[in-house]
Amino acid sequence: MPRSAPRPPKPTAAELDLLRVIWKQGASTAREVHQALQAERPDVQPATVLRLLQVMHGKGLVVRDESQRSHVYAAAHARDALQTNLLDELIQKVFAGSGKALVLAALDGHVSDGERDEIRRLLEESETPATGKGGKRHA
C-alpha cells in the first residue's frame, strides 16, 4: 500500500498571517515579512516576526536559506496543500465530516452575491457527462 505524503503541520493564526505574506511575495527576509505585515497589523514588532519565523522553521512550515547575512524564508508547503489540510480538519471537527454542512454554513451570510454567482458558474462548468441536469449523478 503506497504511503501518502506527510500532512503539513498546523499553523497558528499568527503563523498563517506570515505564510500569507510569504505566499504573496515569495521568499523573504524577516524584515520584508515585517514590512508587508505592518499594513494589516501595525502593532507587530520585528523581533516577534523573526521569532515566529524561527518557530515556523522548526515546525517545518518554512524553509530557511542561511547563505546570506539576512536569512531568507520561503513556504515549505504550497498554499493549496496547507489549505486542504486545514479544511479537512475543520470539516471533521466542526461539521462532523460533512462537506455539505460546511458549504451551507459558508453560503449563509459569508458569501457576497458576486461570489455566489461565481460559485454557480464554477459548479455548472464542473458538471461532467456522467452528471445529468440539476447536478445529480446517475447510478
Side-chain angles (χ1 to χ4, degrees):
M1 179 179 274
R3 280 191 196 182
S4 60
R7 295 183 78 131
K10 182 180 174 187
T12 65
E15 291 168 346
L16 272 173
D17 288 343
L18 272 59
L19 281 170
R20 277 192 287 272
V21 169
I22 293 171
W23 284 323
K24 182 178 181 183
Q25 64 189 33
S28 306
T29 64
R31 174 177 283 181
E32 292 166 338
V33 172
H34 176 256
Q35 289 171 341
L37 195 58
Q38 275 193 306
E40 58 188 71
R41 293 191 44 204
D43 61 321
V44 71
Q45 299 299 311
T48 303
V49 170
L50 177 59
R51 182 67 189 130
L52 268 173
L53 286 169
Q54 291 168 340
V55 169
M56 293 166 67
H57 179 258
K59 288 173 72 172
L61 288 167
V62 295
V63 293
R64 180 171 60 200
D65 177 358
E66 300 175 6
S67 64
Q68 301 175 30
R69 185 170 186 265
S70 293
H71 298 170
V72 177
Y73 294 87
H77 305 279
R79 179 184 302 187
D80 290 348
L82 198 57
Q83 286 175 337
T84 298
N85 185 35
L86 292 172
L87 186 58
D88 287 346
E89 186 175 319
L90 179 69
I91 290 170
Q92 291 305 315
K93 286 184 176 179
V94 179
F95 297 98
S98 172
K100 176 184 171 185
L102 169 87
V103 170
L104 292 175
L107 289 173
D108 187 23
H110 299 283
V111 177
S112 71
D113 289 341
E115 290 171 326
R116 193 177 297 268
D117 290 341
E118 185 177 354
I119 290 167
R120 264 192 209 99
R121 183 184 53 76
L122 290 169
L123 287 171
E124 288 170 3
E125 287 175 4
S126 70
E127 286 185 351
T128 63
T131 306
K133 273 194 161 183
K136 294 183 180 173
R137 295 200 178 270
H138 298 286

